Amino acid sequence: MAALDPAQAVSVHIHIPFCDRLCWFCACRTQGTRTLGPVESYLGTLEAELALLRATIPVGVRMGRLHCGGGTPTTLSPAMIHRLGQAVKAVIPPANEWEFPVEIDPTMVDRAKIAALAKEGMNRASIGIQDFDPPVQAAIGRAQPFMITRGCVDDLRGAGIGSLNTHLVYGLPRQTEDWQVETVDKVPTLAPDRVAFFGYPHVTWMSKRKG
Ligand SMILES: C[S@@+](CC[C@H](N)C(=O)[O-])C[C@H]1O[C@@H](n2cnc3c(N)ncnc32)[C@H](O)[C@@H]1O
Ligand code: SF4
């Protein structure tokens, strides 16, 4: 860290390993929580790590990209979003032009959280869709009515988020070709800037959740 060149912007990744509920297909490193207690204590740990970083990195290093992923970063309350945003920027200030993408689950976010992220500088959002078909959603433990996703997209655009990425997954349990075509046909109605299509491996021996 001490050898970083202040002339080169760095990329920072913050992982928030919590979700309000766990989807059965998910391979991300995360854990479920119904309270903010563990999130609060994790924030304290991140702040301690940032303090170590402050003592090490050369003055003048700037952040060209701050990626906030998970898990679900929007398990953080608006106050926590500001606390984390300010803590990171105090140690590594953003470059004049910087990217701040955030992974968002439409079922775990509201306008106040989107407003807090936008205030901290979020300029790209990646939203998890996976599949719009209710039986597939039931099979993966993730109820997400289309109108929830639509509302989230409208709130993100309303908050001035210029770049929107959507995540779809193929190979999920109960997915049929017809339903997948229907999901893919619906996605452009959300006018995303980018669509990521991930393949799902049903590896039950690697994850108990998928069993
Ligand atoms: C960190 S998660 C998404 C953020 C947010 N928690 C959500 O669910 O919308 C990133 C994305 O990875 C993909 N993903 C997760 N587990 C996967 C798996 N087992 N196979 C393929 N894609 C997966 C999903 O599309 C998911 O939206
Ligand atoms: S898909 Fe997203 S919300 Fe579901 S368990 Fe994985 S990280 Fe959490």
Side-chain angles (χ1 to χ4, degrees), residues 64-79:
R65 181 181 162 92
L66 170 61
H67 183 270
C68 194
T72 303
T74 47
T75 46
L76 270 63
S77 66

Side-chain angles (χ1 to χ4, degrees), residues 19 21-23 25-26 28 30 71-72 105 108 130 142 209:
C19 300
R21 57 100 173 80
L22 292 179
C23 313
F25 79 103
C26 181
C28 302
T30 188
T72 303
D105 177 343
M108 292 185 216
Q130 329 311 348
R142 184 183 171 107
R209 263 188 256 155

Side-chain angles (χ1 to χ4, degrees), residues 19 25-28 70-72 103-106 127-130 142 167-169 198-201 210:
C19 300
F25 79 103
C26 181
C28 302
T72 303
E103 286 175 11
I104 288 178
D105 177 343
I127 59 165
I129 294 177
Q130 329 311 348
R142 184 183 171 107
H167 291 168
L168 302 181
V169 175
F198 301 116
Y200 166 76
K210 293 178 182 166

Side-chain angles (χ1 to χ4, degrees), residues 10-17 28 42 46 63-73 76 84-85 88 92 98-104 117 120-127 165 167 194 198:
V10 296
S11 183
V12 177
H13 185 111
I14 298 190
H15 184 80
I16 306 292
C28 302
Y42 181 70
L46 286 179
M63 182 162 58
R65 181 181 162 92
L66 170 61
H67 183 270
C68 194
T72 303
L76 270 63
L84 181 58
V88 179
I92 317 179
W98 71 309
E99 291 180 2
F100 180 12
V102 182
E103 286 175 11
I104 288 178
L117 285 164
E120 290 306 325
M122 169 173 68
N123 47 30
R124 181 183 312 153
S126 285
I127 59 165
N165 183 15
H167 291 168
R194 181 169 174 262
F198 301 116

